[in-house]
Amino acid sequence: MIRPAPLVVLLGMAALIAPPVLAADTPEQQQLKQLQQQIDQMRQDYEARLKALEARVRQAEAAASGAAFATSPAAAATSPAAAARPSAASTAAVAAAPSTPAAAETVPAPLAAAISPMAANAFNPAISLILTASYASLSQDPGSYRFNGFLTGAEIGPGVKGFSLGESELTISATVDPWFFGSLSVALAADNGASVEEAFLQTTALPAGLGLKAGRFLSSIGYLNDKHAHTWDFIDQPLVYQAFLEGQLRQDGLQLRALLPTDQYVELGGSIGAAGPFPSGGSTGNQPGTATVFAHTGGDVGVSHSWRAGLSYLWAKSNDRESWDVDASGNSVTQLFSGNTRMLIVDGVWKWAPNGNAQRTSLTLQGEYMHRDESGSLTYDSAGVALADSFSAVQSGWYAQAVYKFLPEWRVGLRYDRLNIGNVDAAANNGSLFLPDYSPTRSTLMLDWTPSEYSRVRLQYANDRARYGLSDNQFIVQYQLSLGAHGAHGF
């Protein structure tokens, strides 16, 4: 409980013992009255502030108690509903950091990143730096990596051979007042370049379970899309994410989410964003370039199991969106696509830990399916013959993975992913494009060692058959270090 300061007590006593005015007010008495009124107003303002601070302390204590339960070993694998329930109280305060990454899987990003206003460094933002580097041994040239027959962006493939600094991430975030949370994440690339990965504000006190995010953010479609790279179970994204979303969908716009007041966790949401990031492209003027809607639900099954499932829809408009491929003769060409992209995503996750205790052992099964329909026009070899004609493609892809923790610091994972070439019709460009009847696949095995929540070393092997007629054996060793604030991860 916060107690009034001695100054306020003295001021109150002075006001009580001040002599009453019995005769006509003299100028001195009028001045005394004004001073008394000012003292009364100061006392009322101070008492109001005390009450507000006491309420915030009670909220912080309640949130800390609830978050501590959510991040306890017994709840680590069994609380998807609590993991995604943002509220004014929960985003205003954060429980202490969990002891292991496994015990940190049920807190939403704003709660995990925010610093309680009543903490030791009150009103200072939380600063986090993720350092990543790797060594890759690849049997094929990564410069020739292509998904033949798929219109893709630039961010595909396993990266470069040999040593690589990788992409580090600097994040600054804080709850700025009772109404807003803000976060900035900057990706630092090995070529000394920097890009803004996320920069958004998020409301923390809207009624009826609503939450509004504005700025640049990772969209909440699917399961993996809104998770930062250092929280992935494998070094790289599944093939379907690389081919259809250029890794992840980022939007510059608005996202609204609503957590329904039901016993079972149910979340609905949607977003609109500007054109530019793949799978959109080019300019659409004042009109949005991307729009999404999504629904997530989940719950617990007994004390050892929990699950989450989702359904998402993405619409994107492109105007001369670039993609890179090879022609029928094997030459690299640049193509321009103008039209609409429509994508349906189905995702599901199942987690198990004996009696809900994920400290020593746990198992996570996860998968996503994406169906993409693109229609419009395609300009083949825009720097050369620039032949434009109609284009349509109905394609799909999916991945399935299992990650098993067999010791407190050790995990092993297996992932299989596949792209389906589907039906592609480029009209007059059919004869020029390389459109093999081939569906890219990849099998990946992972082993990682996590001695603490701040460090991880990972070994990964993949047999990558994404390129027609080529098998790429990929061995990658990666380390990750977390410096500064380290919030809990989402379910």
Side-chain angles (χ1 to χ4, degrees), residues 237-323:
Q237 286 281 63
L239 296 180
V240 66
Y241 267 88
Q242 296 184 42
F244 291 175
L245 297 173
E246 197 179 18
Q248 289 173 288
L249 174 65
R250 292 178 177 84
Q251 292 182 281
D252 291 356
L254 299 171
Q255 178 172 276
L256 181 66
R257 304 169 73 164
L259 190 64
L260 302 188
T262 56
D263 292 338
Q264 178 168 316
Y265 161 62
V266 178
E267 179 190 56
L268 306 177
S271 62
I272 57 173
F278 191 90
S280 180
S283 174
T284 58
N286 294 327
Q287 303 299 318
T290 58
T292 72
V293 292
F294 52 85
H296 301 134
T297 186
D300 298 336
V301 180
V303 297
S304 299
H305 303 268
S306 60
W307 63 278
R308 201 200 85 160
L311 183 66
S312 308
Y313 178 80
L314 164 66
W315 169 87
K317 185 174 181 60
S318 300
N319 184 16
D320 288 342
R321 182 193 75 196
E322 287 189 331
S323 64

Side-chain angles (χ1 to χ4, degrees), residues 73-81 106 298-308 349-358 361-365 491:
T78 58
S79 301
T106 62
D300 298 336
V301 180
V303 297
S304 299
H305 303 268
S306 60
W307 63 278
R308 201 200 85 160
V349 181
W350 185 281
K351 295 188 177 184
W352 166 84
N355 296 317
N357 186 352
T361 184
S362 65
L363 174 66
T364 300
L365 304 178
F491 179 85

Side-chain angles (χ1 to χ4, degrees), residues 100-103 352 354 357-363 403-412 447-452 456:
T100 67
W352 166 84
N357 186 352
Q359 290 279 3
R360 179 174 179 81
T361 184
S362 65
L363 174 66
V403 177
Y404 177 60
K405 177 194 282 190
F406 56 93
L407 287 172
E409 299 176 355
W410 291 89
R411 301 187 311 163
V412 63
L447 175 69
D448 66 25
W449 174 55
T450 307
S452 75
R456 171 170 286 161

Side-chain angles (χ1 to χ4, degrees), residues 262-486:
T262 56
D263 292 338
Q264 178 168 316
Y265 161 62
V266 178
E267 179 190 56
L268 306 177
S271 62
I272 57 173
F278 191 90
S280 180
S283 174
T284 58
N286 294 327
Q287 303 299 318
T290 58
T292 72
V293 292
F294 52 85
H296 301 134
T297 186
D300 298 336
V301 180
V303 297
S304 299
H305 303 268
S306 60
W307 63 278
R308 201 200 85 160
L311 183 66
S312 308
Y313 178 80
L314 164 66
W315 169 87
K317 185 174 181 60
S318 300
N319 184 16
D320 288 342
R321 182 193 75 196
E322 287 189 331
S323 64
W324 297 266
D325 206 341
V326 294
D327 60 16
S329 301
N331 302 311
S332 297
V333 292
T334 301
Q335 303 171 120
L336 302 178
F337 171 75
S338 296
N340 295 307
T341 299
R342 293 166 292 274
M343 190 184 313
L344 181 69
I345 305 173
V346 180
D347 66 88
V349 181
W350 185 281
K351 295 188 177 184
W352 166 84
N355 296 317
N357 186 352
Q359 290 279 3
R360 179 174 179 81
T361 184
S362 65
L363 174 66
T364 300
L365 304 178
Q366 174 183 320
E368 295 185 68
Y369 170 83
M370 300 185 185
H371 182 274
R372 183 178 74 172
D373 184 346
E374 293 196 303
S375 60
S377 64
L378 183 72
T379 301
Y380 163 75
D381 192 12
S382 59
V385 298
L387 178 60
D389 208 336
S390 63
F391 177 85
S392 65
V394 179
Q395 300 171 312
S396 62
W398 58 274
Y399 77 92
Q401 68 180 54
V403 177
Y404 177 60
K405 177 194 282 190
F406 56 93
L407 287 172
E409 299 176 355
W410 291 89
R411 301 187 311 163
V412 63
L414 179 63
R415 180 182 67 190
Y416 180 80
D417 42 342
R418 175 188 177 96
L419 294 172
N420 298 315
I421 186 66
N423 298 313
V424 181
D425 184 5
N429 289 316
N430 277 334
S432 301
L433 295 175
F434 181 48
L435 300 172
D437 184 15
Y438 181 74
S439 295
T441 62
R442 182 179 58 179
S443 301
T444 307
L445 179 65
M446 176 277 296
L447 175 69
D448 66 25
W449 174 55
T450 307
S452 75
E453 61 181 301
Y454 302 103
S455 62
R456 171 170 286 161
V457 178
R458 177 177 287 146
L459 173 65
Q460 179 172 301
Y461 165 75
N463 179 245
D464 188 320
R465 297 178 179 271
R467 287 166 282 188
Y468 178 73
L470 294 177
S471 177
D472 189 7
N473 292 309
Q474 305 167 353
F475 293 89
I476 306 176
V477 180
Q478 178 197 59
Y479 76 75
Q480 290 180 338
L481 298 180
S482 175
L483 287 70
H486 184 78

